[in-house]
Amino acid sequence: MSPVAEGQTKGKDAKDMQEYKFTVSSSPHVRCNETIPKIMWNVVAALVPAAAFGVFYFGMNALVNIFVAIVSAVIFEYLWEKMMHKKITIQDGSAVITGLLLAMTCPPTLPWWMSIVGSFLAIVVCKQSMGGLGYNLFNPAHVGRAGLMVSWPVAMTTWTSLNGTVDAVASATPLNVLKHNGHDALLSMFGGDPMTMYQQMFIGFRNGSMGETSTVLLVLGGLYLIYKGYVNWQVPVTMIATVGILMWIVGGIPLGTGLFSGDPLFHMMAGGLVIGAFFMATDMVTAPITLKGQIIFALGCGLITVLIRLVGGYPEGVCYSILLMNALTPLIDRLVKPRVFGAVKAKGAK
């Protein structure tokens, strides 16, 4: 081939290659329009109805605690990031969620300054000291709540008296009454009618932490997160169903009254189970990565909750069950780690 023809051929090939040239950037290659701030503020929106009901039912002290917890959480995050010369991320909404969840899982009678202490434990001790958002092993809001429970157990177990259409029993939650006084005393709180009890607990006219009482509003908020794709429905369903089924089988009060004598519907709505199952057991940071791991996590949370409610000294167990399973999240991720695509299991390997 002559030099001229060879040059023409190479030029044509180069032109063809130019037409089919691909631009390859670094991973990840799958993109969507979801961002951390968008997800966080959607979670806040999902929590607002239940929080607003808590303010409506329990009064201004609930509003003060919610406001103080949120503001102090944001301030602590700002100050830490400022002192550590890190990027300020208070606008992403994660600190707002922590403060809001902390307030919603505490009694409405809690002194406002304790909310500040709880926010400090949640943001500085749990979240930022571990590296910030995405690096914390434990759920920050529950760490704050657990710290308050250990430090001021009386304040954390002092409740307002019920009001409205419900027979009042001062300073006692339904779970507390059931554990210490039995099922008959529990029914007497609601006029002796089981259907009235279920109705009031579903709507939210009962004693408890300021944001955990309205089952219907918490479920609606959780369904919104499932619709948005932020939550796998299997996780809250598994955790709530585990508590309900086990309590139906072995949850008769007093213990030893026989199998299949418990009240599963009551236990599925009581305490912080619903808010914990939808908004804390599904935490993207502290829960396992895979769906299989998340189901194992939810089963463990439900089992520990039942164990604490039945034989523990404390009538509620959701907070501690989630924190204990948070500690097992790395192990669960390791045990259910999916096989790398194309990888072949070595011959003879166990």
Side-chain angles (χ1 to χ4, degrees):
M1 182 180 296
S2 66
V4 175
E6 184 178 357
Q8 291 175 345
T9 303
K10 289 182 177 179
K12 183 178 180 180
D13 291 342
K15 183 178 180 181
D16 291 342
M17 289 296 293
Q18 186 69 26
E19 292 178 357
Y20 295 101
K21 184 172 68 174
F22 295 97
T23 301
V24 180
S25 59
S26 62
S27 61
H29 302 296
V30 179
R31 300 179 183 274
C32 66
N33 62 351
E34 299 292 351
T35 61
I36 291 176
K38 184 177 180 181
I39 294 173
M40 295 298 173
W41 287 112
N42 270 284
V43 175
V44 171
L47 286 166
V48 164
F53 180 86
V55 172
F56 162 76
Y57 187 61
F58 292 113
M60 285 302 298
N61 202 66
L63 179 61
V64 169
N65 273 295
I66 290 174
F67 177 79
V68 170
I70 291 175
V71 171
S72 59
V74 172
I75 290 175
F76 284 133
E77 182 150 304
Y78 172 82
L79 292 176
W80 178 274
E81 291 175 338
K82 193 74 172 177
M83 290 189 298
M84 296 295 107
H85 305 288
K86 298 171 65 177
K87 180 182 177 182
I88 305 300
T89 60
I90 58 174
Q91 72 280 356
D92 65 12
S94 62
V96 174
I97 291 178
T98 299
L100 180 57
L101 281 173
L102 172 65
M104 291 176 71
T105 56
C106 289
T109 56
L110 194 72
W112 61 268
W113 59 268
M114 290 187 187
S115 294
I116 298 178
V117 176
S119 292
F120 175 83
L121 295 173
I123 295 296
V124 177
V125 176
C126 177
K127 181 182 176 183
Q128 293 297 338
S129 66
M130 294 186 182
L133 181 63
Y135 295 95
N136 50 288
L137 179 61
F138 299 98
N139 183 279
H142 267 166
V143 167
R145 185 185 190 278
L148 292 176
M149 177 65 73
V150 171
S151 304
W152 296 283
V154 175
M156 287 294 290
T157 53
T158 299
W159 314 94
T160 59
S161 59
L162 296 174
N163 54 38
T165 61
V166 182
D167 240 342
V169 176
S171 302
T173 64
L175 273 176
N176 200 317
V177 172
L178 176 64
K179 188 174 185 68
H180 297 290
N181 303 104
H183 198 264
D184 291 339
L186 172 67
L187 288 178
S188 69
M189 294 178 65
F190 300 91
D193 182 15
M195 293 307 299
T196 299
M197 177 180 69
Y198 297 143
Q199 179 184 7
Q200 299 297 342
M201 293 191 68
F202 184 70
I203 296 173
F205 296 119
R206 60 183 171 97
N207 234 345
S209 297
M210 67 182 77
E212 72 180 20
T213 58
S214 181
T215 301
V216 60
L217 293 179
L218 290 170
V219 170
L220 288 175
L223 291 176
Y224 173 73
L225 297 183
I226 293 172
Y227 165 75
K228 295 292 291 183
Y230 304 149
V231 170
N232 290 318
W233 64 267
Q234 293 92 334
V235 177
V237 168
T238 298
M239 183 174 175
I240 295 172
T242 299
V243 173
I245 293 171
L246 290 178
M247 279 300 189
W248 172 53
I249 297 173
V250 298
I253 300 295
L255 291 177
T257 55
L259 298 178
F260 303 100
S261 59
D263 189 338
L265 193 55
F266 166 79
H267 279 284
M268 287 191 290
M269 293 189 291
L273 181 60
V274 176
I275 190 173
F278 278 103
F279 294 94
M280 293 179 171
T282 57
D283 184 10
M284 297 177 182
V285 177
T286 59
I289 298 173
T290 64
L291 178 58
K292 183 178 179 181
Q294 291 170 8
I295 293 174
I296 295 173
F297 180 91
L299 280 169
C301 290
L303 179 61
I304 297 173
T305 298
V306 169
L307 187 64
I308 294 175
R309 287 187 179 184
L310 289 180
V311 299
Y314 184 53
E316 173 63 299
V318 174
C319 172
Y320 298 108
S321 71
I322 292 177
L323 289 176
L324 288 171
M325 290 305 297
N326 284 158
L328 294 179
T329 293
L331 177 61
I332 295 174
D333 279 333
R334 183 175 181 179
L335 293 176
V336 300
K337 182 170 58 177
R339 183 176 299 177
V340 177
F341 180 75
V344 179
K345 190 174 183 180
K347 187 176 181 180
K350 294 182 180 180

